[in-house]
Amino acid sequence: MAEKKEPLFDQFPATSYQEWRTKVEADLKGADFDKKLVWRTNEGFNLQPVYRLEDIEGLETTNSLPGEYPYVRGTRNNNDWLTRQEIVADSAAKANEIARDVLTKGVTSLGFKLAEPTKEEITVLLEGIDLCKIEININCCQRKAKAAVENLVAYIKEKGAEKCFRGSVNFNPLRRAFRHGGEIPADFVETAKAMIELAADVPALRVLAVNSVMLSDSGSYIAQELGYALAWGADWLTALTDAGLTVDQVATRIKFNMGVSSNFFMELSKFRAARMLWAQIVKQYNPECECACKMALHAVTSRFNQTIYDAHVNLLRSQTESMSAALAGVDSITTTPFDVPYQTPDAFSERIARNQQFLLKEESHLDKVVDPAGGSYYVETLTVSIAREAWKLFLDAEAQGGFFKLVAEGKVQDAVNESCKKRHTDVARRKEILLGTNQYPNINEMAAGKIQISESCSCGCAEQKGEHALCGKRAACDFEELRLATEAAANRPKVFMLTIGNLAMRLARAQFSTNFFGCAGYEIIDNLGFNTVQEGIDAALSKESDIIVICSSDDEYATLAPEAFKYLDGRAQFVVAGAPACTDELKAAGIENFIHVRCNVLDTLKEFNSKLLK
């Protein structure tokens, strides 16, 4: 007789949400629950500290299986995504050589950039590559995209690979308007229609791009990128069905290239929401086949959050980003090499980028499970919340005349640039953390010598690139400019920690101050502690310190800080670590500099740079 097993939790009484909430509020000892434990996201909705079964009751996202409409759980019944590598080379022959080499290393999708997509160049480029096994993606000047499709299709037919070929030509007529401002080419709809007709015999060749990765890399928020991506795709459908094509002809030729940032669960949920909303948009055009509602989705890990200093942290960022995309069931992933901010990726960084995806497949087996997040109370709630915010933006774009019109008027670029500006402010205040740049920097690292490329966008990007251009300024740029200025200066400022008084507080504030000034690349001189402020000031001046930071407790500052400031007598910059209750009295005594968690770190360090660098 089989052993009877008791349900695991039958011996424990069920706990309601209210019982849990009451216990937590008691533990908070009067602190406001919403202020302490509820997170207000940049997307415009709140996240609770706990989710339960009742939170997903009534959500339709749990009513389908992978491969079933509306595809929230994926467009396939497997999770074997393609690992894509972008090939960087000066010629088609060299690109072919590199491509054939990386194909022996597990890559299943290739991205090429062609200056001249002639039949001869494409023949050289794809020589020896199995078109039935490897996805081919071509990026070229938009004026030459039609020729690229025509010549690629001719080559595919020569090889007899029409039915098995998978790939894309990245036709994005909005690229110039995004990067430089200005108008969209007047004939782009005619060009797009001609490209679809040229590709008619190659069913899996996608020729219309929705490159919302450009928005993500320019600092857009997650729901903002999704809302605009949906509006972009819908405008393709509207423009080309109005031009005489069927929705099935158009929808099956669109490829979404989306960014993925380090907000792990939000990005995972974004891709699930993207498939669900896109399927419903296409459905409204009454396609003959429901398969036209499937979204072709390529994910590219972020460049916006990559850094020059402590660049190997970029590996941690892109690893979690690749994992978000993989668990979300995207079709293919490009893992951006960690050294992109300062040089053309080398063989080592490209190998590491490939292996990051192989770790997810071969070591973690993420390709063996479809939509493992499905049913998660948290992820399902996130999926719906992001979908709602993105849908609002989509409807707003439609109400204003559509995405193409908004881009032509510069409204999309301006909205994304506003988000970018807000995120830069959050980085400056350390509300958004970039490990190794605005938090826990390697204070002895020097980066100027490794920078081989310069970024086109600086603080005055709008003036340089034209009105209504996406700035695309990485989140770390401001801090990097600060540190590079320190490196270039004749004198590297020295910061001395005058640690005195309460042991716990002086250690904590010395660590905070080291972290604070380290973000500018200053030399830090820490100490075990001093018995008197005179002893500490004398030691600091003997080291030729430029900044002296007094680190003590709030109560002790009332007497120690004025005493130290008076004894120093202007021989160096004097800083109080903290925001004590006696701040007004200290200011009245002439003390001007205070550093604490509410500071704008970037602006404060810029002020010190202006005073100290020669």
Side-chain angles (χ1 to χ4, degrees):
M1 179 182 293
E3 181 182 354
K4 183 179 180 181
K5 296 183 178 180
E6 295 182 3
L8 183 61
F9 293 110
D10 273 10
Q11 57 186 308
F12 300 102
T15 302
S16 70
Y17 173 80
Q18 191 53 53
E19 288 174 306
W20 174 86
R21 175 77 177 253
T22 300
K23 173 60 178 171
V24 170
E25 287 178 337
D27 290 344
L28 287 173
K29 294 179 170 54
D32 187 274
F33 178 90
D34 289 335
K35 289 183 178 180
K36 284 289 184 180
L37 299 179
V38 177
W39 170 32
R40 182 67 177 179
T41 69
N42 291 322
E43 318 312 314
F45 56 86
N46 291 336
L47 286 181
Q48 299 297 323
V50 66
Y51 286 91
R52 297 162 54 95
L53 176 62
E54 55 261 34
D55 291 305
I56 67 168
E57 288 178 354
L59 296 186
E60 295 184 4
T61 55
T62 60
N63 294 342
S64 63
L65 296 174
E68 293 182 357
Y69 180 90
Y71 309 112
V72 63
R73 304 202 62 198
T75 58
R76 313 181 305 276
N77 58 9
N78 66 71
N79 195 29
D80 190 14
W81 74 88
L82 301 177
T83 299
R84 178 164 158 182
Q85 180 167 330
E86 306 300 326
I87 306 299
V88 180
D90 296 329
S91 67
K94 183 63 177 177
N96 176 264
E97 179 186 341
I98 296 172
R100 293 173 69 172
D101 177 60
V102 301
L103 289 178
T104 66
K105 296 175 170 63
V107 167
T108 48
S109 176
L110 296 169
F112 296 104
K113 188 173 182 178
L114 274 182
E116 295 294 335
T118 63
K119 178 68 182 308
E120 293 74 19
E121 287 286 279
I122 288 176
T123 300
V124 171
L125 183 72
L126 301 180
E127 179 64 30
I129 297 175
D130 191 336
L131 301 183
C132 289
K133 293 182 179 179
I134 306 301
E135 183 186 63
I136 304 296
N137 303 279
I138 293 178
N139 191 6
C140 63
C141 170
Q142 302 311 296
R143 289 178 285 105
K144 299 177 180 179
K146 180 180 174 182
V149 173
E150 184 175 12
N151 294 323
L152 178 61
V153 168
Y155 181 80
I156 293 169
K157 288 182 175 180
E158 281 184 11
K159 299 297 181 180
E162 297 98 314
K163 303 305 178 186
C164 62
F165 177 87
R166 291 178 298 173
S168 67
V169 172
N170 187 13
F171 178 58
N172 174 16
L174 310 184
R175 179 183 296 172
R176 181 169 183 81
F178 278 141
R179 289 183 173 174
H180 305 286
E183 298 181 353
I184 303 170
D187 62 345
F188 78 95
V189 174
E190 296 165 8
T191 302
K193 181 180 179 183
M195 292 169 65
I196 291 175
E197 291 169 344
L198 286 168
D201 294 332
V202 186
L205 173 57
R206 303 217 172 219
V207 297
L208 305 178
V210 172
N211 287 340
S212 65
V213 63
M214 298 181 71
L215 308 181
S216 176
D217 282 346
S218 296
S220 69
Y221 290 120
I222 291 171
Q224 187 178 43
E225 181 201 2
L226 176 54
Y228 282 141
L230 296 170
W232 190 342
D235 265 20
W236 273 132
L237 295 178
T238 300
L240 288 162
T241 52
D242 287 348
L245 297 178
T246 68
V247 64
D248 297 79
Q249 288 177 301
V250 182
T252 55
R253 300 297 178 175
I254 299 174
K255 184 164 191 174
F256 286 79
N257 300 296
M258 302 185 73
V260 49
S261 70
S262 295
N263 196 326
F264 183 80
F265 286 106
M266 295 275 280
E267 288 288 0
L268 192 162
S269 302
K270 177 190 76 177
F271 291 121
R272 301 176 86 245
R275 287 191 300 264
M276 176 179 68
L277 294 178
W278 179 245
Q280 294 177 65
I281 289 171
V282 176
K283 192 77 167 179
Q284 298 306 305
Y285 288 79
N286 298 315
E288 291 184 7
C289 177
E290 200 171 72
C291 59
C293 299
K294 293 182 178 182
M295 173 185 270
L297 185 50
H298 175 64
V300 185
T301 64
S302 178
R303 295 184 181 223
F304 182 75
N305 61 15
Q306 287 195 318
T307 63
I308 292 174
Y309 287 92
D310 230 341
H312 289 98
V313 179
N314 294 334
L315 293 169
L316 303 180
R317 299 182 180 109
S318 59
Q319 188 69 52
T320 60
E321 291 162 4
S322 297
M323 188 172 176
S324 289
L327 291 173
V330 302
D331 299 301
S332 55
I333 303 173
T334 293
T335 302
T336 305
F338 73 89
D339 54 353
V340 159
Y342 57 88
Q343 69 178 17
T344 300
D346 58 23
F348 173 75
S349 65
E350 288 182 337
R351 176 190 174 199
I352 293 295
R354 290 192 301 270
N355 288 348
Q356 287 179 262
Q357 290 193 49
F358 298 152
L359 280 170
L360 298 179
K361 285 189 174 186
E362 306 302 330
E363 301 289 342
S364 303
H365 306 296
L366 298 191
D367 60 332
K368 300 298 190 291
V369 183
V370 185
D371 190 32
S376 160
Y377 308 149
Y378 180 47
V379 173
E380 294 292 359
T381 304
L382 268 183
T383 299
V384 173
S385 298
I386 291 172
R388 284 172 179 158
E389 296 305 316
W391 192 249
K392 292 176 187 176
L393 186 58
F394 167 77
L395 293 177
D396 182 63
E398 291 292 295
Q400 294 186 62
F403 186 75
F404 294 153
K405 180 176 181 288
L406 292 182
V407 173
E409 294 173 351
K411 292 181 179 179
V412 171
Q413 299 92 309
D414 291 347
V416 172
N417 286 342
E418 188 62 31
S419 298
C420 181
K421 181 179 178 181
K422 172 64 166 56
R423 293 187 68 183
H424 276 269
T425 300
D426 287 347
V427 170
R429 293 182 174 276
R430 294 205 287 209
K431 291 176 66 177
E432 185 170 335
I433 299 301
L434 291 172
L435 191 66
T437 297
N438 71 345
Q439 190 75 287
Y440 306 119
N442 178 354
I443 60 177
N444 294 316
E445 180 183 6
M446 300 295 170
K450 71 181 182 182
I451 299 176
Q452 299 177 14
I453 58 175
S454 59
E455 294 176 307
S456 59
C457 181
S458 62
C459 293
C461 61
E463 289 76 19
Q464 292 179 19
K465 303 174 91 174
E467 189 178 11
H468 303 309
L470 289 175
C471 180
K473 184 180 179 185
R474 287 184 299 106
C477 279
D478 298 319
F479 278 95
E480 289 167 356
E481 289 173 6
L482 194 72
R483 284 196 69 170
L484 290 170
T486 301
E487 285 190 38
N491 62 309
R492 183 186 179 194
K494 294 181 180 179
V495 183
F496 188 93
M497 301 299 157
L498 199 171
T499 48
I500 189 169
N502 182 282
L503 178 62
M505 290 306 302
R506 77 190 193 201
L507 291 176
R509 282 178 162 157
Q511 183 180 33
F512 172 83
S513 303
T514 296
N515 188 23
F516 191 103
F517 285 104
C519 293
Y522 294 171
E523 181 182 346
I524 307 297
I525 304 172
D526 202 358
N527 299 280
L528 295 177
F530 298 95
N531 295 317
T532 66
V533 293
Q534 291 88 349
E535 180 187 348
I537 296 292
D538 289 341
L541 294 176
S542 71
K543 298 284 188 179
E544 300 182 341
S545 302
D546 301 284
I547 301 172
I548 298 174
V549 185
I550 187 168
C551 304
S552 189
S553 67
D554 285 3
D555 293 338
E556 292 169 301
Y557 278 144
T559 55
L560 293 177
E563 182 184 350
F565 180 70
K566 182 178 180 181
Y567 184 73
L568 180 61
D569 194 25
R571 289 175 287 177
Q573 296 289 321
F574 185 73
V575 178
V576 174
C582 61
T583 295
D584 289 341
E585 289 82 357
L586 298 182
K587 287 182 177 179
I591 299 172
E592 299 178 348
N593 300 313
F594 299 81
I595 59 171
H596 45 80
V597 293
R598 294 187 299 277
C599 277
N600 185 309
V601 181
L602 180 68
D603 287 349
T604 303
L605 293 176
K606 281 182 176 180
E607 289 180 15
F608 280 108
N609 260 18
S610 67
K611 297 173 183 176
L612 300 174
L613 298 190
K614 300 175 183 177

